[in-house]
Amino acid sequence: MPHDWDPVKYEEFRAEREMPFRDLLAGLDPVPGGKGIDLGCGTGRLTADLHVGLGLAATLGVDSSPAMIAACAAHDRDGIRFAQGDLADVDRWLEAGPFDVVFSNAALQWLPDHRSLLPSVSHLVAPCGRLAVQVPANTDHPSQTLARDLCREEPWADLLGDSGRPPDVLGPEEYVEVLHALGFEDLEVILRVYPHVLPSTCALVDWMRGTLLNWYLDRLPEDRRAAFVDAYRRRVEALLPDPGPYLFTFKRILFTARRPA
């Protein structure tokens, strides 16, 4: 059975996870009566905030997770609709576009080859429209390096094969280069570190259980998933022993750009 995201687990650290969303949203001017799309809408709660905050008339929230889309039902309202599907299926989402705001918060990092992805996503942006994206850039943090190290060892190396590492994001300067080559203007690309004080390293494992570990669990047999989480937990606790609190430093890239008329 394919592994799906757990909306309840994801929302455990809701206040911390929404900080970059708020920062990204603050960099956009309202678009009264405009049309928006949220690529990777999660539970839909922040999609509703995006819709209201920018004064949009119509907003489409997209997510690949059936569980997340089911959770979006709580945020259905006039002008907002949700759809399950591949975020990279630009042709499908163009049927509802182009969009005055193409927004994505902590989702595009799951898709490979951003040098090819961004040109496709740019087709969704209407003339004079805005592109606003946030992606984690924390691959050098122990919370991620320990998972990659674990995947190089048996039995996980055999079970995961070449799929054992999530895609890499670009560097901040590379996003500037790609967006500039696509003709976007008013470029702003920021690398920001978010300090999160967690009660313990056990809480760090819970954080990763709601995000990164889903990548690995989706690629493992159902009967080996719990063992993988336990092995990862032991690695984290060995390297970062309690007692807490634990300062979790999280680097993220935020960028906005305007498509010319």
Side-chain angles (χ1 to χ4, degrees), residues 202-255:
C202 289
L204 175 64
V205 175
D206 289 338
W207 179 300
M208 305 311 290
R209 180 65 182 82
T211 52
L212 175 72
L213 294 189
N214 286 308
W215 173 272
Y216 302 103
L217 299 182
D218 192 43
R219 288 156 176 80
L220 286 170
E222 189 171 3
D223 62 353
R224 302 310 306 274
R225 292 170 184 166
F228 181 84
V229 175
D230 287 343
Y232 174 78
R233 186 184 304 276
R234 290 194 297 271
R235 295 288 179 96
V236 171
E237 291 174 349
L239 182 66
L240 307 170
D242 276 330
Y246 175 71
L247 177 63
F248 181 27
T249 53
F250 203 132
K251 296 191 293 292
R252 298 178 182 271
I253 297 171
L254 299 84
F255 61 84

Short mmCIF file of all heavy atoms in Angstrom, two decimals, residues 202-255:
data_model
loop_
_atom_site.label_atom_id
_atom_site.label_comp_id
_atom_site.label_asym_id
_atom_site.label_seq_id
_atom_site.Cartn_x
_atom_site.Cartn_y
_atom_site.Cartn_z
N CYS A 202 13.63 14.11 20.49
CA CYS A 202 12.49 13.28 20.11
C CYS A 202 11.49 14.10 19.29
O CYS A 202 10.89 13.59 18.34
CB CYS A 202 11.80 12.71 21.36
SG CYS A 202 12.75 11.45 22.21
N ALA A 203 11.33 15.36 19.65
CA ALA A 203 10.45 16.24 18.88
C ALA A 203 11.00 16.47 17.48
O ALA A 203 10.23 16.62 16.52
CB ALA A 203 10.26 17.57 19.61
N LEU A 204 12.33 16.50 17.35
CA LEU A 204 12.92 16.63 16.02
C LEU A 204 12.54 15.43 15.14
O LEU A 204 12.21 15.60 13.97
CB LEU A 204 14.44 16.74 16.13
CG LEU A 204 15.21 16.76 14.81
CD1 LEU A 204 14.87 18.01 14.00
CD2 LEU A 204 16.72 16.69 15.06
N VAL A 205 12.57 14.24 15.71
CA VAL A 205 12.16 13.05 14.96
C VAL A 205 10.69 13.16 14.56
O VAL A 205 10.31 12.85 13.43
CB VAL A 205 12.41 11.77 15.78
CG1 VAL A 205 11.87 10.54 15.05
CG2 VAL A 205 13.90 11.60 16.06
N ASP A 206 9.86 13.64 15.47
CA ASP A 206 8.44 13.82 15.14
C ASP A 206 8.28 14.82 14.00
O ASP A 206 7.42 14.66 13.13
CB ASP A 206 7.67 14.28 16.37
CG ASP A 206 7.51 13.19 17.41
OD1 ASP A 206 7.62 12.00 17.02
OD2 ASP A 206 7.30 13.51 18.59
N TRP A 207 9.08 15.89 14.03
CA TRP A 207 9.04 16.87 12.94
C TRP A 207 9.34 16.20 11.60
O TRP A 207 8.60 16.36 10.63
CB TRP A 207 10.05 17.99 13.22
CG TRP A 207 10.13 19.05 12.18
CD1 TRP A 207 10.46 18.90 10.85
CD2 TRP A 207 9.86 20.45 12.34
NE1 TRP A 207 10.44 20.10 10.19
CE2 TRP A 207 10.07 21.07 11.07
CE3 TRP A 207 9.50 21.23 13.43
CZ2 TRP A 207 9.91 22.43 10.90
CZ3 TRP A 207 9.34 22.60 13.24
CH2 TRP A 207 9.55 23.19 11.99
N MET A 208 10.42 15.45 11.57
CA MET A 208 10.83 14.80 10.32
C MET A 208 9.86 13.69 9.92
O MET A 208 9.68 13.40 8.73
CB MET A 208 12.25 14.25 10.46
CG MET A 208 13.30 15.28 10.88
SD MET A 208 13.27 16.82 9.91
CE MET A 208 13.88 16.22 8.35
N ARG A 209 9.21 13.10 10.90
CA ARG A 209 8.21 12.07 10.60
C ARG A 209 7.03 12.68 9.84
O ARG A 209 6.35 12.00 9.08
CB ARG A 209 7.73 11.44 11.91
CG ARG A 209 6.68 10.36 11.76
CD ARG A 209 7.22 9.15 11.01
NE ARG A 209 6.18 8.15 10.85
CZ ARG A 209 5.27 8.17 9.90
NH1 ARG A 209 5.26 9.17 9.01
NH2 ARG A 209 4.36 7.24 9.79
N GLY A 210 6.82 13.98 10.03
CA GLY A 210 5.72 14.65 9.33
C GLY A 210 6.10 15.14 7.95
O GLY A 210 5.23 15.57 7.19
N THR A 211 7.42 15.09 7.59
CA THR A 211 7.83 15.62 6.29
C THR A 211 8.83 14.69 5.61
O THR A 211 8.46 13.81 4.85
CB THR A 211 8.45 17.04 6.45
OG1 THR A 211 9.47 17.00 7.45
CG2 THR A 211 7.40 18.05 6.85
N LEU A 212 10.12 14.89 5.87
CA LEU A 212 11.17 14.20 5.12
C LEU A 212 11.03 12.68 5.11
O LEU A 212 11.20 12.03 4.07
CB LEU A 212 12.55 14.57 5.67
CG LEU A 212 13.72 13.81 5.05
CD1 LEU A 212 13.99 14.29 3.63
CD2 LEU A 212 14.97 13.94 5.90
N LEU A 213 10.73 12.09 6.26
CA LEU A 213 10.69 10.63 6.31
C LEU A 213 9.61 10.05 5.42
O LEU A 213 9.69 8.88 5.03
CB LEU A 213 10.51 10.16 7.76
CG LEU A 213 11.67 10.47 8.71
CD1 LEU A 213 11.47 9.75 10.03
CD2 LEU A 213 13.02 10.09 8.11
N ASN A 214 8.61 10.85 5.07
CA ASN A 214 7.58 10.36 4.14
C ASN A 214 8.19 9.96 2.80
O ASN A 214 7.67 9.05 2.13
CB ASN A 214 6.51 11.43 3.92
CG ASN A 214 5.60 11.56 5.11
OD1 ASN A 214 5.04 10.59 5.61
ND2 ASN A 214 5.43 12.78 5.60
N TRP A 215 9.24 10.66 2.38
CA TRP A 215 9.90 10.32 1.11
C TRP A 215 10.39 8.88 1.14
O TRP A 215 10.20 8.12 0.19
CB TRP A 215 11.06 11.28 0.87
CG TRP A 215 11.88 10.91 -0.33
CD1 TRP A 215 12.95 10.06 -0.37
CD2 TRP A 215 11.67 11.34 -1.67
NE1 TRP A 215 13.43 9.94 -1.65
CE2 TRP A 215 12.66 10.72 -2.47
CE3 TRP A 215 10.74 12.18 -2.28
CZ2 TRP A 215 12.75 10.92 -3.85
CZ3 TRP A 215 10.84 12.40 -3.64
CH2 TRP A 215 11.82 11.77 -4.41
N TYR A 216 11.04 8.50 2.24
CA TYR A 216 11.59 7.15 2.36
C TYR A 216 10.49 6.12 2.59
O TYR A 216 10.52 5.02 2.00
CB TYR A 216 12.61 7.12 3.50
CG TYR A 216 13.73 8.10 3.31
CD1 TYR A 216 13.78 9.30 4.03
CD2 TYR A 216 14.75 7.86 2.40
CE1 TYR A 216 14.81 10.20 3.86
CE2 TYR A 216 15.78 8.77 2.20
CZ TYR A 216 15.80 9.94 2.94
OH TYR A 216 16.83 10.83 2.75
N LEU A 217 9.53 6.45 3.43
CA LEU A 217 8.47 5.49 3.75
C LEU A 217 7.65 5.13 2.52
O LEU A 217 7.20 3.99 2.39
CB LEU A 217 7.57 6.05 4.85
CG LEU A 217 8.25 6.36 6.19
CD1 LEU A 217 7.24 6.86 7.20
CD2 LEU A 217 8.99 5.14 6.72
N ASP A 218 7.48 6.09 1.62
CA ASP A 218 6.71 5.82 0.40
C ASP A 218 7.43 4.83 -0.50
O ASP A 218 6.80 4.19 -1.35
CB ASP A 218 6.47 7.14 -0.35
CG ASP A 218 5.43 6.99 -1.45
OD1 ASP A 218 4.41 6.33 -1.22
OD2 ASP A 218 5.67 7.52 -2.55
N ARG A 219 8.73 4.68 -0.32
CA ARG A 219 9.54 3.81 -1.18
C ARG A 219 9.93 2.50 -0.50
O ARG A 219 10.67 1.71 -1.07
CB ARG A 219 10.79 4.58 -1.64
CG ARG A 219 10.44 5.66 -2.64
CD ARG A 219 11.44 6.79 -2.70
NE ARG A 219 11.07 7.73 -3.75
CZ ARG A 219 10.12 8.67 -3.60
NH1 ARG A 219 9.47 8.78 -2.45
NH2 ARG A 219 9.82 9.47 -4.61
N LEU A 220 9.41 2.29 0.70
CA LEU A 220 9.70 1.07 1.44
C LEU A 220 8.47 0.17 1.51
O LEU A 220 7.32 0.66 1.50
CB LEU A 220 10.13 1.41 2.87
CG LEU A 220 11.53 1.99 3.05
CD1 LEU A 220 11.71 2.49 4.48
CD2 LEU A 220 12.60 0.95 2.71
N PRO A 221 8.68 -1.14 1.61
CA PRO A 221 7.54 -2.05 1.84
C PRO A 221 6.83 -1.67 3.14
O PRO A 221 7.46 -1.22 4.10
CB PRO A 221 8.19 -3.43 1.94
CG PRO A 221 9.51 -3.29 1.27
CD PRO A 221 9.95 -1.87 1.50
N GLU A 222 5.54 -1.86 3.16
CA GLU A 222 4.75 -1.44 4.32
C GLU A 222 5.26 -2.06 5.61
O GLU A 222 5.26 -1.41 6.67
CB GLU A 222 3.28 -1.80 4.08
CG GLU A 222 2.33 -1.22 5.10
CD GLU A 222 0.87 -1.43 4.71
OE1 GLU A 222 0.62 -2.09 3.68
OE2 GLU A 222 0.00 -0.95 5.46
N ASP A 223 5.71 -3.31 5.55
CA ASP A 223 6.12 -4.00 6.77
C ASP A 223 7.51 -3.61 7.26
O ASP A 223 7.97 -4.10 8.29
CB ASP A 223 6.04 -5.52 6.59
CG ASP A 223 6.97 -6.05 5.51
OD1 ASP A 223 7.59 -5.21 4.79
OD2 ASP A 223 7.08 -7.27 5.37
N ARG A 224 8.20 -2.71 6.54
CA ARG A 224 9.53 -2.26 6.97
C ARG A 224 9.55 -0.80 7.38
O ARG A 224 10.59 -0.28 7.78
CB ARG A 224 10.56 -2.48 5.85
CG ARG A 224 10.69 -3.90 5.37
CD ARG A 224 10.87 -4.89 6.52
NE ARG A 224 11.96 -4.57 7.42
CZ ARG A 224 13.23 -4.94 7.22
NH1 ARG A 224 13.56 -5.65 6.15
NH2 ARG A 224 14.16 -4.64 8.09
N ARG A 225 8.44 -0.12 7.28
CA ARG A 225 8.42 1.32 7.53
C ARG A 225 8.66 1.66 8.99
O ARG A 225 9.44 2.57 9.32
CB ARG A 225 7.09 1.91 7.05
CG ARG A 225 6.95 1.87 5.53
CD ARG A 225 5.54 2.22 5.08
NE ARG A 225 5.41 2.07 3.64
CZ ARG A 225 4.24 2.04 2.99
NH1 ARG A 225 3.11 2.17 3.67
NH2 ARG A 225 4.21 1.90 1.68
N ALA A 226 8.01 0.95 9.89
CA ALA A 226 8.20 1.24 11.32
C ALA A 226 9.64 1.00 11.73
O ALA A 226 10.21 1.77 12.53
CB ALA A 226 7.25 0.38 12.15
N ALA A 227 10.27 -0.05 11.20
CA ALA A 227 11.67 -0.34 11.53
C ALA A 227 12.59 0.76 11.04
O ALA A 227 13.58 1.10 11.70
CB ALA A 227 12.07 -1.69 10.93
N PHE A 228 12.28 1.34 9.88
CA PHE A 228 13.10 2.43 9.36
C PHE A 228 13.01 3.65 10.27
O PHE A 228 14.03 4.27 10.60
CB PHE A 228 12.67 2.80 7.94
CG PHE A 228 13.48 3.90 7.33
CD1 PHE A 228 14.70 3.61 6.71
CD2 PHE A 228 13.06 5.22 7.36
CE1 PHE A 228 15.48 4.61 6.15
CE2 PHE A 228 13.82 6.23 6.80
CZ PHE A 228 15.04 5.92 6.19
N VAL A 229 11.81 3.99 10.70
CA VAL A 229 11.65 5.14 11.60
C VAL A 229 12.38 4.89 12.91
O VAL A 229 13.04 5.79 13.45
CB VAL A 229 10.15 5.43 11.85
CG1 VAL A 229 9.99 6.54 12.89
CG2 VAL A 229 9.46 5.83 10.55
N ASP A 230 12.30 3.67 13.44
CA ASP A 230 13.00 3.35 14.68
C ASP A 230 14.52 3.47 14.51
O ASP A 230 15.22 3.97 15.39
CB ASP A 230 12.64 1.93 15.13
CG ASP A 230 11.22 1.84 15.68
OD1 ASP A 230 10.65 2.89 16.01
OD2 ASP A 230 10.68 0.72 15.77
N ALA A 231 15.04 2.98 13.37
CA ALA A 231 16.48 3.07 13.12
C ALA A 231 16.91 4.52 13.01
O ALA A 231 17.97 4.92 13.52
CB ALA A 231 16.83 2.30 11.84
N TYR A 232 16.09 5.33 12.34
CA TYR A 232 16.40 6.77 12.22
C TYR A 232 16.37 7.43 13.59
O TYR A 232 17.26 8.23 13.93
CB TYR A 232 15.38 7.42 11.29
CG TYR A 232 15.50 8.93 11.20
CD1 TYR A 232 16.49 9.52 10.43
CD2 TYR A 232 14.62 9.75 11.88
CE1 TYR A 232 16.60 10.91 10.35
CE2 TYR A 232 14.71 11.13 11.80
CZ TYR A 232 15.71 11.71 11.03
OH TYR A 232 15.81 13.07 10.96
N ARG A 233 15.39 7.09 14.40
CA ARG A 233 15.28 7.68 15.74
C ARG A 233 16.52 7.37 16.57
O ARG A 233 17.05 8.25 17.26
CB ARG A 233 14.02 7.15 16.44
CG ARG A 233 13.73 7.80 17.79
CD ARG A 233 12.52 7.15 18.46
NE ARG A 233 11.36 7.18 17.61
CZ ARG A 233 10.52 8.22 17.51
NH1 ARG A 233 10.76 9.30 18.22
NH2 ARG A 233 9.49 8.17 16.70
N ARG A 234 17.01 6.15 16.49
CA ARG A 234 18.20 5.78 17.25
C ARG A 234 19.42 6.58 16.80
O ARG A 234 20.25 6.99 17.62
CB ARG A 234 18.46 4.28 17.12
CG ARG A 234 17.45 3.41 17.85
CD ARG A 234 17.93 1.98 17.97
NE ARG A 234 18.10 1.33 16.68
CZ ARG A 234 17.14 0.67 16.04
NH1 ARG A 234 15.92 0.57 16.58
NH2 ARG A 234 17.37 0.11 14.86
N ARG A 235 19.52 6.82 15.48
CA ARG A 235 20.65 7.61 14.97
C ARG A 235 20.58 9.05 15.50
O ARG A 235 21.60 9.62 15.90
CB ARG A 235 20.62 7.63 13.44
CG ARG A 235 20.85 6.29 12.78
CD ARG A 235 22.30 5.85 12.91
NE ARG A 235 22.52 4.56 12.31
CZ ARG A 235 22.98 4.37 11.08
NH1 ARG A 235 23.27 5.41 10.31
NH2 ARG A 235 23.14 3.16 10.61
N VAL A 236 19.41 9.63 15.48
CA VAL A 236 19.25 11.01 15.95
C VAL A 236 19.57 11.10 17.44
O VAL A 236 20.30 12.00 17.88
CB VAL A 236 17.83 11.52 15.67
CG1 VAL A 236 17.58 12.87 16.35
CG2 VAL A 236 17.60 11.65 14.16
N GLU A 237 19.04 10.18 18.22
CA GLU A 237 19.25 10.23 19.67
C GLU A 237 20.71 9.98 20.03
O GLU A 237 21.20 10.52 21.03
CB GLU A 237 18.33 9.21 20.35
CG GLU A 237 16.86 9.59 20.27
CD GLU A 237 15.94 8.51 20.80
OE1 GLU A 237 16.44 7.38 21.04
OE2 GLU A 237 14.74 8.79 20.98
N ALA A 238 21.43 9.18 19.23
CA ALA A 238 22.84 8.93 19.50
C ALA A 238 23.70 10.15 19.21
O ALA A 238 24.65 10.45 19.93
CB ALA A 238 23.31 7.74 18.66
N LEU A 239 23.35 10.88 18.13
CA LEU A 239 24.15 12.04 17.74
C LEU A 239 23.76 13.29 18.53
O LEU A 239 24.62 14.12 18.86
CB LEU A 239 23.98 12.32 16.24
CG LEU A 239 24.79 13.49 15.69
CD1 LEU A 239 26.30 13.19 15.77
CD2 LEU A 239 24.40 13.79 14.24
N LEU A 240 22.48 13.42 18.85
CA LEU A 240 21.96 14.63 19.50
C LEU A 240 21.26 14.22 20.79
O LEU A 240 20.03 14.26 20.88
CB LEU A 240 20.98 15.36 18.56
CG LEU A 240 21.50 15.68 17.16
CD1 LEU A 240 20.36 16.17 16.28
CD2 LEU A 240 22.60 16.72 17.22
N PRO A 241 22.00 13.80 21.79
CA PRO A 241 21.36 13.29 23.01
C PRO A 241 20.59 14.37 23.75
O PRO A 241 20.99 15.54 23.75
CB PRO A 241 22.54 12.78 23.83
CG PRO A 241 23.72 13.54 23.34
CD PRO A 241 23.47 13.78 21.88
N ASP A 242 19.51 13.97 24.38
CA ASP A 242 18.76 14.86 25.26
C ASP A 242 19.56 15.04 26.55
O ASP A 242 20.56 14.35 26.77
CB ASP A 242 17.38 14.25 25.54
CG ASP A 242 16.41 14.60 24.41
OD1 ASP A 242 16.60 15.67 23.82
OD2 ASP A 242 15.51 13.82 24.12
N PRO A 243 19.25 15.91 27.49
CA PRO A 243 17.96 16.57 27.61
C PRO A 243 17.80 17.79 26.71
O PRO A 243 18.80 18.37 26.28
CB PRO A 243 17.93 17.00 29.08
CG PRO A 243 19.37 17.23 29.41
CD PRO A 243 20.12 16.17 28.64
N GLY A 244 16.55 18.14 26.48
CA GLY A 244 16.24 19.30 25.69
C GLY A 244 16.41 20.58 26.52
O GLY A 244 16.88 20.52 27.65
N PRO A 245 15.99 21.70 25.99
CA PRO A 245 15.41 21.85 24.64
C PRO A 245 16.48 21.74 23.55
O PRO A 245 17.67 21.78 23.83
CB PRO A 245 14.80 23.24 24.67
CG PRO A 245 15.64 23.98 25.68
CD PRO A 245 16.04 22.97 26.72
N TYR A 246 15.97 21.58 22.31
CA TYR A 246 16.87 21.43 21.16
C TYR A 246 16.61 22.57 20.18
O TYR A 246 15.48 22.82 19.78
CB TYR A 246 16.63 20.09 20.47
CG TYR A 246 17.44 19.94 19.19
CD1 TYR A 246 18.82 19.78 19.26
CD2 TYR A 246 16.84 20.00 17.95
CE1 TYR A 246 19.58 19.67 18.11
CE2 TYR A 246 17.58 19.89 16.79
CZ TYR A 246 18.95 19.73 16.87
OH TYR A 246 19.70 19.62 15.73
N LEU A 247 17.68 23.28 19.80
CA LEU A 247 17.57 24.36 18.82
C LEU A 247 17.68 23.77 17.42
O LEU A 247 18.76 23.33 17.01
CB LEU A 247 18.65 25.41 19.04
CG LEU A 247 18.67 26.56 18.03
CD1 LEU A 247 17.39 27.38 18.11
CD2 LEU A 247 19.89 27.45 18.24
N PHE A 248 16.58 23.78 16.71
CA PHE A 248 16.52 23.26 15.34
C PHE A 248 16.65 24.44 14.39
O PHE A 248 15.74 25.25 14.26
CB PHE A 248 15.20 22.53 15.14
CG PHE A 248 15.02 21.90 13.78
CD1 PHE A 248 16.10 21.50 13.01
CD2 PHE A 248 13.74 21.69 13.28
CE1 PHE A 248 15.92 20.91 11.77
CE2 PHE A 248 13.55 21.10 12.05
CZ PHE A 248 14.63 20.72 11.28
N THR A 249 17.81 24.55 13.72
CA THR A 249 18.02 25.63 12.76
C THR A 249 17.63 25.14 11.37
O THR A 249 18.14 24.12 10.91
CB THR A 249 19.49 26.07 12.77
OG1 THR A 249 20.33 24.93 12.57
CG2 THR A 249 19.84 26.73 14.09
N PHE A 250 16.73 25.86 10.74
CA PHE A 250 16.15 25.41 9.48
C PHE A 250 16.35 26.49 8.42
O PHE A 250 15.78 27.57 8.50
CB PHE A 250 14.66 25.14 9.67
CG PHE A 250 14.08 24.17 8.66
CD1 PHE A 250 13.29 23.11 9.07
CD2 PHE A 250 14.31 24.32 7.30
CE1 PHE A 250 12.76 22.22 8.16
CE2 PHE A 250 13.78 23.45 6.38
CZ PHE A 250 13.01 22.38 6.81
N LYS A 251 17.17 26.18 7.41
CA LYS A 251 17.41 27.11 6.30
C LYS A 251 16.35 26.92 5.23
O LYS A 251 16.03 25.79 4.85
CB LYS A 251 18.80 26.90 5.70
CG LYS A 251 19.93 27.20 6.66
CD LYS A 251 21.28 27.22 5.95
CE LYS A 251 21.68 25.85 5.44
NZ LYS A 251 21.97 24.90 6.53
N ARG A 252 15.86 28.03 4.72
CA ARG A 252 14.85 28.00 3.65
C ARG A 252 15.17 29.08 2.61
O ARG A 252 15.68 30.15 2.97
CB ARG A 252 13.44 28.20 4.20
CG ARG A 252 12.99 27.11 5.18
CD ARG A 252 11.60 27.39 5.72
NE ARG A 252 11.15 26.40 6.68
CZ ARG A 252 10.50 25.29 6.37
NH1 ARG A 252 10.21 25.02 5.11
NH2 ARG A 252 10.11 24.45 7.31
N ILE A 253 14.83 28.80 1.36
CA ILE A 253 14.96 29.78 0.28
C ILE A 253 13.57 30.28 -0.08
O ILE A 253 12.66 29.48 -0.33
CB ILE A 253 15.64 29.16 -0.95
CG1 ILE A 253 17.07 28.72 -0.62
CG2 ILE A 253 15.65 30.15 -2.12
CD1 ILE A 253 17.73 27.91 -1.72
N LEU A 254 13.40 31.58 -0.09
CA LEU A 254 12.14 32.21 -0.48
C LEU A 254 12.42 33.09 -1.70
O LEU A 254 13.38 33.87 -1.68
CB LEU A 254 11.56 33.07 0.64
CG LEU A 254 11.19 32.39 1.96
CD1 LEU A 254 12.40 32.24 2.87
CD2 LEU A 254 10.08 33.18 2.67
N PHE A 255 11.60 32.96 -2.73
CA PHE A 255 11.79 33.86 -3.87
C PHE A 255 10.46 34.28 -4.48
O PHE A 255 9.48 33.54 -4.46
CB PHE A 255 12.72 33.26 -4.94
CG PHE A 255 12.27 31.98 -5.59
CD1 PHE A 255 11.39 31.99 -6.66
CD2 PHE A 255 12.78 30.76 -5.15
CE1 PHE A 255 11.02 30.80 -7.30
CE2 PHE A 255 12.43 29.57 -5.78
CZ PHE A 255 11.53 29.60 -6.86
#
